[in-house]
Amino acid sequence: MELALSLGDTPKPFTFLDKTPKMSSKDVGFCMGLGSAFSGRSDEKREIREGEDRREVIRDEGERRLLSSDPPVQLDLLPFSPVPRSQPPTQLRFPWLADNLVPEPGPSDGTGKGLDVNRFPAVAIAAEEADDGTALSSPNSTVSSFQMDFCVRNGGRTKRDLELETERASDDDENGSTRKKLRLTKEQSAFLEESFKEHSTLNPKQKLALAKQLNLRPRQVEVWFQNRRARTKLKQTEVDCEYLKRCCETLTQENRKLQKELQELRALKTSQPFYMQLPATTLTMCPSCERVATTTTTTGSSGATAGNNNNSTTNKAALSLAKGRLYQVQQAHMHQAQPHQAAS
DNA sequence: TTCCTTCGATAGGTTACGTCA
DNA sequence: CGTGACGTAACCTATCGAAGG
């Protein structure tokens, strides 16, 4: 059953309906579809680039829609923006954009003091390209062929960041078995966030470039994106649930209102049975198919004539309106059971 | 100190794709 | 040429556990 509802707000699709195609109204008690901004993914697949996973491309399209700001879906789930848009992090550039490529600073530029110990030697990265870093358990190294471009130029490093770096540097001395939990610096997190806004998934090239630029292992970048996606999805689900809850409350309210109205109409009918036998011609719109239905009901009484005008016209008009409303309610009930039959 | 939240990391499962018999 | 088994890569999901408030 498909039920179109307009509750005054801009209709907002539920992304989880899109994400859980197996869900049925049987499963949830009721199921509302308020339009979907998503179209089939198959017709919008972009061309697959070299070295890019097909699923990645397809998902990328889907998730871009999920995260996009195109109306009518606007669920901003990226409230965290440590780097204001108005103040883009200088030196933070997306490595997969050709014009953004930062020349890799060499170790001899003299700016490599206090580097993050997550820094990974180029040799190791090259090895990790072959083996995704699983063989390399220690991210610490004293060898560096590059460094984070912004890490040293950004003068806004907090005390905590410096502490973190010091902590990590001290990890070098520790036994690898008791590895401290690694914490990304603000700059790293901010850059990853910005990257995530551009692409919620990474192809291998992007991953490597990002890892290289941030002095992280590709595996770390990968994990960060995985966690980020998972947590975004979680937040989206929470938002969807909240919205559903509100819809449910509104519907319950509306239902109560209609029930009350129905009761009043029934009371009216019993108190003034004569007028209820008037043939009623009402124009109602089917809530499902939005077709206008013209209905004339005759109760079989021949006493309903224009001659019975003892009462005021106001009363008649009010009664006609009331009957029309009653009919609408009945039609709506019928339609919930059998759409497209009541109006035809 | 304890509790709760955040977040990096891991394990296991799923899916899509390529290769080969 | 079509098909099933197998391996691989990337991802998702649940969960753990360290760190911090």
Side-chain angles (χ1 to χ4, degrees):
Chain A
M1 180 179 78
E2 190 176 329
L3 175 63
L5 290 171
S6 176
L7 299 173
D9 294 323
T10 306
K12 190 187 88 168
F14 298 118
T15 54
F16 68 87
L17 292 178
D18 188 62
K19 286 179 277 187
T20 54
K22 288 174 192 166
M23 184 187 289
S24 69
S25 58
K26 198 173 71 179
D27 296 324
V28 293
F30 76 102
C31 184
M32 295 186 297
L34 298 181
S36 173
F38 299 129
S39 55
R41 291 176 177 183
S42 56
D43 58 343
E44 284 186 33
K45 284 180 194 172
R46 61 178 162 84
E47 198 178 334
I48 298 166
R49 292 192 293 268
E50 189 187 354
E52 197 173 11
D53 190 84
R54 280 170 203 264
R55 287 178 300 161
E56 204 168 40
V57 174
I58 295 166
R59 192 179 308 109
D60 195 33
E61 292 297 325
E63 289 186 353
R64 197 172 307 142
R65 270 192 288 274
L66 173 69
L67 297 167
S68 79
S69 57
D70 293 344
V73 193
Q74 178 47 37
L75 293 173
D76 186 4
L77 294 172
L78 302 166
F80 171 62
S81 182
V83 182
R85 290 278 189 187
S86 56
Q87 290 176 320
T90 50
Q91 312 302 332
L92 299 188
R93 296 162 188 181
F94 300 114
W96 50 83
L97 298 178
D99 55 340
N100 281 343
L101 284 174
V102 179
E104 191 176 295
S108 60
D109 65 356
T111 57
K113 301 282 193 301
L115 282 179
D116 191 329
V117 293
N118 294 325
R119 175 202 323 131
F120 210 60
V123 176
I125 285 198
E128 192 163 28
E129 285 180 28
D131 190 14
D132 201 25
T134 47
L136 296 154
S137 58
S138 171
N140 307 325
S141 171
T142 54
V143 182
S144 175
S145 63
F146 59 86
Q147 58 204 11
M148 283 176 68
D149 191 34
F150 57 83
C151 189
V152 288
R153 294 190 207 176
N154 190 337
R157 271 191 303 171
T158 64
K159 192 180 164 188
R160 176 65 195 141
D161 289 339
L162 292 171
E163 284 172 4
L164 278 170
E165 287 166 9
T166 311
E167 266 178 34
R168 288 168 190 171
S170 68
D171 284 351
D172 277 341
D173 307 326
E174 288 182 5
N175 190 339
S177 60
T178 56
R179 184 174 57 87
K180 268 194 175 182
K181 184 178 175 177
L182 187 143
R183 204 90 182 176
L184 301 181
T185 64
K186 270 185 184 176
E187 286 83 3
Q188 285 171 324
S189 295
F191 194 36
L192 287 168
E193 282 289 342
E194 289 296 314
S195 309
F196 186 79
K197 284 176 189 172
E198 295 290 319
H199 304 272
S200 60
T201 54
L202 295 175
N203 63 35
K205 271 185 188 174
Q206 292 170 338
K207 183 168 69 179
L208 278 174
L210 205 48
K212 194 173 179 182
Q213 190 155 1
L214 293 173
N215 286 323
L216 293 171
R217 281 172 289 155
R219 173 68 184 158
Q220 285 178 296
V221 174
E222 187 183 306
V223 166
W224 189 93
F225 268 78
Q226 272 179 17
N227 285 324
R228 190 68 179 75
R229 281 193 295 269
R231 275 144 198 167
T232 298
K233 194 177 176 183
L234 193 67
K235 273 196 175 175
Q236 178 68 59
T237 307
E238 283 171 9
V239 169
D240 285 342
C241 281
E242 199 54 40
Y243 183 74
L244 249 191
K245 224 168 89 182
R246 283 208 307 276
C247 279
C248 190
E249 281 167 11
T250 313
L251 282 174
T252 307
Q253 232 172 349
E254 175 78 2
N255 189 32
R256 265 194 226 115
K257 214 171 104 188
L258 288 173
Q259 292 283 354
K260 197 179 164 193
E261 215 173 312
L262 189 61
Q263 265 186 340
E264 285 170 6
L265 288 170
R266 279 181 180 148
L268 191 67
K269 187 181 177 183
T270 48
S271 65
Q272 297 182 326
F274 176 74
Y275 292 105
M276 292 305 286
Q277 291 172 10
L278 284 168
T281 301
T282 50
L283 282 177
T284 57
M285 183 174 286
C286 168
S288 176
C289 60
E290 296 190 353
R291 269 186 277 174
V292 174
T294 308
T295 309
T296 303
T297 52
T298 312
T299 56
S301 168
S302 58
T305 63
N308 297 319
N309 51 1
N310 294 342
N311 294 290
S312 67
T313 10
T314 318
N315 269 353
K316 278 184 186 173
L319 195 58
S320 179
L321 271 175
K323 286 182 76 178
R325 185 70 176 134
L326 178 63
Y327 178 75
Q328 278 184 333
V329 171
Q330 286 169 345
Q331 290 292 307
H333 277 280
M334 279 173 65
H335 234 291
Q336 282 185 8
Q338 289 177 322
H340 295 286
Q341 285 188 4
S344 63

